[in-house]
Amino acid sequence: MNLAFWFRKVWQRHGPKRRLIIVESDTPPDPIPSRHVYLCRDGGENWSVAMRCPCGCGDSLELMLLKEIKPNWSLKTNDQQPPSLRPSIWRKTGCQSHFWLRNGHIHWC
């Protein structure tokens, strides 16, 4: 493991928490700033969560929240807590990162 990757992992876990931003649209904004998590809503229904991959590859991730679509994730958040997602995010292509978003921090698997 190189030093830059190690530092990024420590920063992701102990640095500033990711902030949830709600957008009234079924698509996330482009580009997505790092350290932001976008909740996309349409008609009051949560559609997806979008964020940049925390590994540093720069890819945008869009994770579906709709129960009818597989795979799907669940978002836990309120006014006092940063966002958490379940289950973990495991990229099968590209950088192949595997991580959890818990209480606004990245936890690597």
Side-chain angles (χ1 to χ4, degrees):
M1 176 183 323
N2 67 24
L3 186 60
F5 184 73
W6 177 84
F7 180 75
R8 188 176 302 121
K9 283 178 72 169
V10 170
W11 179 255
Q12 294 291 340
R13 185 168 226 182
H14 301 289
K17 295 181 179 185
R18 283 175 165 63
R19 199 168 61 122
L20 184 70
I21 299 170
I22 299 171
V23 292
E24 292 294 331
S25 171
D26 60 352
T27 57
D30 187 41
I32 297 173
S34 62
R35 309 208 71 77
H36 286 85
V37 176
Y38 285 93
L39 171 59
C40 299
R41 285 186 176 162
D42 193 21
E45 185 176 18
N46 295 341
W47 280 70
S48 66
V49 171
M51 61 187 287
R52 291 218 357 238
C53 185
C55 81
C57 70
D59 288 349
S60 294
L61 307 176
E62 187 171 7
L63 310 167
M64 298 307 294
L65 300 175
L66 297 171
K67 300 285 184 209
E68 302 84 31
I69 297 176
K70 301 291 182 199
N72 63 47
W73 284 261
S74 63
L75 175 69
K76 179 183 170 191
T77 188
N78 61 36
D79 293 337
Q80 292 79 28
Q81 291 184 338
S84 295
L85 285 171
R86 293 185 76 193
S88 66
I89 296 102
W90 190 355
R91 299 195 60 205
K92 304 291 184 180
T93 59
C95 65
Q96 299 185 358
S97 294
H98 189 194
F99 59 93
W100 289 89
L101 176 62
R102 292 184 181 148
N103 197 23
H105 286 293
I106 298 297
H107 297 266
W108 295 97
C109 296

